[in-house]
Amino acid sequence: MKKPIIATASLAGCFGCHMSFLDIDERILDLVELVHWGKSPINDIKTFEQDCDIALIEGGCCNDEHIHTLRDFRKHCRILVAVGECAIMGGLPAMRNNIPIQECLEEAYLNTPSTAQANPERILPNDAELPALLDKVYPCHEIVKMDYFLPGCPPRADLIYGALTALVTGQEAELPYEVIKFD
Amino acid sequence: MSETIATASETITLTIDGQEIQAKAGQTILQAAQKNGIYIPTLCALHATKENGLKTDIAPGTCRICTVKVNGRTMAACTTPVAQDFIVENDTEELNDLRKTIVELLFVEGNHFCPSCEKSGSCDLQALAYRYQMLSPRFRYAFSSREVNAESPKLLFDRNRCILCRRCVLAITTEDGKQLFGFTKRGDKSGIIMDEELVKNISEEQAQQAMHICPVGAIIRKEKGFDTPFGQRKYDHNPIGSETVCTTCNGEKS
Ligand code: SF4
Ligand code: SF4
Ligand code: SF4
Ligand code: FES
């Protein structure tokens, strides 16, 4: 049987979910037996060389590039898994959702103790190369259809491993009480 | 048993999920269930225990998580008194899905960012989400704009997490019966307000009690935080409801 191909992405996240994935420790060797790796920050492959079967998405969407990336993943992957609170509900970045964007930018670039002195001309980042911030931080499923959700900040390594091997081997994921936690 | 044995006319027989149980006239379905070790989920109703300092059970009937079917009709178990021959459905797929839906609505309606919440691990709403395996709410997040009141020296009040259950309004009072919390406005503008003057003078014990009474992390006592390590919090190991009723009083009011 052809081995399924796994891809991963980090959007508006802190990479903690990827780190938790790596916390599966030596079981990663079992996984290597079962799957091929496609585009992922773990192997630094940057483009889709071929379509993938399963993609793990960490983080929600806080700028236009995240939206673009997420849509690209939807196009090239069969199953999209939202990994972690940020992907599922916006998480920490979504705490800005009730603060006007102008206020966020001014706080970050003009008013904090570390930037007040360092930015005497009071410049807000405005290069055309930079992704444009969205009005709000959006959970992934509000942008594209997501197929599975693994909650936690980050999700327990056992949850990620259990869900992934279940998807790859076509079995039911075992989700004991301790592995589903929101923190 | 210290209680007086009920006369036949005071004893009521009903069934919950096919199990025949005895209850006393005047008890609610919830109280009868708890007395018999049957779990019905609650968010607003609270059984009086030494630990929570309540003198009597409270049942504001605001959350509807305790919804059961009584002779085929949905009712709140915490506000419906028992009656002879009631046939109550409780732990069914249909009702548990309804309860899961209520939990999901509460999650999207407020702003529940559990990783930064001090109540995480001991929160009844979160524990119900675990119990019903909510991986992601099926509704859109409202990202409602809610205020945090951090003015008081002893309490932090975070409206983002308030589920408007009314427990604090009923349970937290001064010695002479003045309420520290109250309801304000209506509909989607409803909210809880604190009596700032009274809350300013709250004792450490009462601050702790207020945090304990609130089923979620809307009331947090200040100057002390995250003092229960992971692994020792209320719902770290066992789902909410896996312990039956209060064992000291066996569900019986003193
Ligand atoms: S869910 Fe938590 S660990 Fe994962 S990206 Fe977001 S903040 Fe980081
Ligand atoms: S109150 Fe409960 S559900 Fe809400 S953020 Fe805190 S732990 Fe999570
Ligand atoms: S503050 Fe807590 S106890 Fe009071 S209504 Fe809100 S959720 Fe209920
Ligand atoms: S517990 Fe019965 S309505 Fe809230």
Side-chain angles (χ1 to χ4, degrees), chain A:
Chain A
M1 206 179 77
K2 215 171 115 268
K3 283 190 191 177
I5 306 171
I6 294 192
T8 78
S10 176
L11 309 177
C14 75
F15 262 103
C17 291
H18 272 84
M19 298 310 287
S20 184
F21 177 36
L22 295 179
D23 267 347
I24 66 174
D25 300 330
E26 72 277 6
R27 284 176 292 181
I28 202 157
L29 298 175
D30 301 335
L31 206 56
V32 167
E33 293 294 312
L34 292 171
V35 301
H36 278 306
W37 287 92
K39 174 178 153 75
S40 164
I42 292 175
N43 53 18
D44 211 20
I45 294 179
K46 293 192 169 53
T47 51
F48 284 109
E49 278 140 14
Q50 51 190 317
D51 284 359
C52 299
D53 295 283
I54 299 162
L56 306 180
I57 311 289
E58 165 195 307
C61 296
C62 80
N63 63 38
D64 59 354
E65 189 179 297
H66 293 144
I67 297 214
H68 172 80
T69 309
L70 187 56
R71 289 197 175 133
D72 204 33
F73 266 75
R74 182 71 275 179
K75 209 160 93 195
H76 291 288
C77 308
R78 198 161 55 81
I79 296 169
L80 289 194
V81 187
V83 183
E85 297 294 331
C86 293
I88 293 173
M89 53 90 72
L92 189 90
M95 287 174 111
R96 79 143 149 102
N97 279 3
N98 284 306
I99 304 168
I101 208 92
Q102 180 80 13
E103 218 175 299
C104 290
L105 288 168
E106 286 176 0
E107 181 64 29
Y109 293 100
L110 309 182
N111 302 333
T112 65
S114 62
T115 51
Q117 302 296 319
N119 188 4
E121 286 161 60
R122 298 176 66 79
I123 298 169
L124 293 178
N126 61 356
D127 195 290
E129 288 285 309
L130 291 173
L133 283 187
L134 304 174
D135 61 336
K136 272 184 196 280
V137 177
Y138 293 91
C140 291
H141 66 268
E142 290 192 10
I143 307 297
V144 301
K145 180 185 182 300
M146 301 300 286
D147 302 295
Y148 293 98
F149 300 88
L150 303 179
C153 179
R156 304 287 189 273
D158 288 342
L159 176 60
I160 302 178
Y161 183 75
L164 202 52
T165 42
L167 278 174
V168 169
T169 57
Q171 281 156 0
E172 284 279 310
E174 283 199 23
L175 304 176
Y177 180 75
E178 275 85 0
V179 308
I180 299 181
K181 291 284 175 281
F182 298 168
D183 57 12

Side-chain angles (χ1 to χ4, degrees), chain A residues 85 88-92 94-95 97-98 136-137 139 141-142 149 151 153 156 175 177-178 180-183, chain B residues 107 111-116 120 126 129-130 133-136 140-141 143-145 233 235-239:
Chain A
E85 297 294 331
I88 293 173
M89 53 90 72
L92 189 90
M95 287 174 111
N97 279 3
N98 284 306
K136 272 184 196 280
V137 177
H141 66 268
E142 290 192 10
F149 300 88
C153 179
R156 304 287 189 273
L175 304 176
Y177 180 75
E178 275 85 0
I180 299 181
K181 291 284 175 281
F182 298 168
D183 57 12
Chain B
F107 262 90
N111 296 301
H112 294 275
F113 184 61
C114 298
S116 76
S120 189
Q126 186 193 58
Y130 294 164
Q133 294 217 332
M134 182 191 91
L135 300 182
S136 157
R140 284 179 94 98
Y141 292 96
F143 294 121
S144 325
S145 181
R233 304 171 307 178
Y235 304 116
D236 276 345
H237 299 291
N238 296 305

Side-chain angles (χ1 to χ4, degrees), chain B residues 21-79:
Chain B
I21 63 163
Q22 312 285 313
K24 282 193 287 185
Q27 277 185 324
T28 62
I29 297 174
L30 175 69
Q31 286 167 327
Q34 285 178 334
K35 176 91 174 69
N36 285 277
I38 297 168
Y39 176 66
I40 298 177
T42 58
L43 273 173
C44 68
L46 190 58
H47 178 59
T49 62
K50 243 199 222 109
E51 209 195 354
N52 62 33
L54 282 182
K55 302 269 183 310
T56 50
D57 293 0
I58 53 169
T62 48
C63 75
R64 303 285 137 166
I65 198 83
C66 68
T67 299
V68 291
K69 274 197 174 176
V70 181
N71 299 344
R73 290 181 58 199
T74 49
M75 310 277 246
C78 72
T79 56

Side-chain angles (χ1 to χ4, degrees), chain B residues 89-220:
Chain B
E89 289 167 63
N90 167 45
D91 190 10
T92 66
E93 205 177 307
E94 181 196 357
L95 287 167
N96 286 332
D97 188 56
L98 179 76
R99 291 163 181 162
K100 185 179 181 184
T101 313
I102 295 173
V103 171
E104 290 175 11
L105 283 166
L106 290 170
F107 262 90
V108 299
E109 199 261 336
N111 296 301
H112 294 275
F113 184 61
C114 298
S116 76
C117 179
E118 194 181 325
K119 203 66 179 275
S120 189
S122 303
C123 163
D124 290 1
L125 177 66
Q126 186 193 58
L128 283 166
Y130 294 164
R131 183 180 172 97
Y132 298 123
Q133 294 217 332
M134 182 191 91
L135 300 182
S136 157
R138 65 196 100 167
F139 309 101
R140 284 179 94 98
Y141 292 96
F143 294 121
S144 325
S145 181
R146 305 266 193 92
E147 275 170 18
V148 176
N149 183 337
E151 301 294 314
S152 156
K154 287 268 163 39
L155 284 184
L156 172 89
F157 186 56
D158 189 341
R159 292 187 174 83
N160 289 294
R161 306 172 187 145
C162 175
I163 57 168
L164 299 172
C165 70
R166 258 183 98 217
R167 271 191 193 181
C168 57
V169 179
L170 297 178
I172 313 295
T173 56
T174 56
E175 297 255 304
D176 53 350
K178 286 201 198 100
Q179 288 181 330
L180 272 66
F181 295 86
F183 240 89
T184 170
K185 303 202 177 132
R186 291 172 180 228
D188 66 350
K189 306 267 185 314
S190 307
I192 296 286
I193 40 166
M194 296 198 286
D195 185 316
E196 308 231 352
E197 273 311 301
L198 292 179
V199 169
K200 208 187 278 171
N201 301 318
I202 200 168
S203 67
E204 178 56 36
E205 292 69 46
Q206 213 177 14
Q208 179 60 44
Q209 191 207 9
M211 178 165 173
H212 185 87
I213 292 273
C214 179
V216 290
I219 303 177
I220 298 287

